[in-house]
Amino acid sequence: INAAKTSMASKIIGNDSDFFSAMCIQAMKAIKNDGDKYPVSAVNILKAHGKSARESFLVEGYALNVRLGSEAMPKRVAGAKIALLDFNLQKVRLSLQVQVLISDP
């Protein structure tokens, strides 16, 4: 923990160094490969504006930082099926005569 605190020493973190160093160590342990390799690039930080630093939390898995298109959309979906696409669906107009069809939701 002391090594993590020292590497993150700054005025921004300040008094929360214990909190963030423990979170960093937990994240590194979660991505440890066989042997003693830690792929640091596998850890990402998502920033949420308007929240305090103490409201930060570690997400085990994959997190998306997107906004709701409508307030009527559900905040949480259980048992969802996930599609892996090779193109971005955000704010992209599909070219003419191209459709995305879902046959088995």
Side-chain angles (χ1 to χ4, degrees):
I1 288 188
N2 288 336
K5 280 174 147 176
T6 302
S7 65
M8 293 189 308
S10 73
K11 292 179 183 178
I12 296 171
I13 294 175
N15 297 335
D16 297 328
S17 62
D18 290 329
F19 176 74
F20 285 108
S21 60
M23 188 183 305
C24 288
I25 290 170
Q26 186 179 359
M28 289 296 110
K29 286 181 178 177
I31 61 164
K32 182 179 178 184
N33 286 341
D34 294 333
D36 289 327
K37 298 201 177 192
Y38 296 88
V40 177
S41 61
V43 175
N44 294 307
I45 298 172
L46 300 176
K47 299 173 187 171
H49 298 286
K51 300 214 174 203
S52 73
R54 277 294 204 183
E55 291 181 79
S56 300
F57 57 93
L58 178 66
V59 175
E60 294 185 23
Y62 194 81
L64 299 174
N65 192 16
V66 294
R67 297 176 191 213
L68 294 176
S70 165
E71 288 296 321
M73 292 176 70
K75 305 276 191 274
R76 184 175 297 260
V77 177
K81 294 182 181 180
I82 299 172
L84 302 175
L85 304 174
D86 194 20
F87 58 92
N88 188 358
L89 289 176
Q90 291 181 337
K91 298 180 184 176
V92 174
R93 289 182 184 246
L94 298 175
S95 61
L96 294 175
Q97 300 175 353
V98 174
Q99 296 179 336
V100 176
L101 299 175
I102 300 172
S103 60
D104 185 17

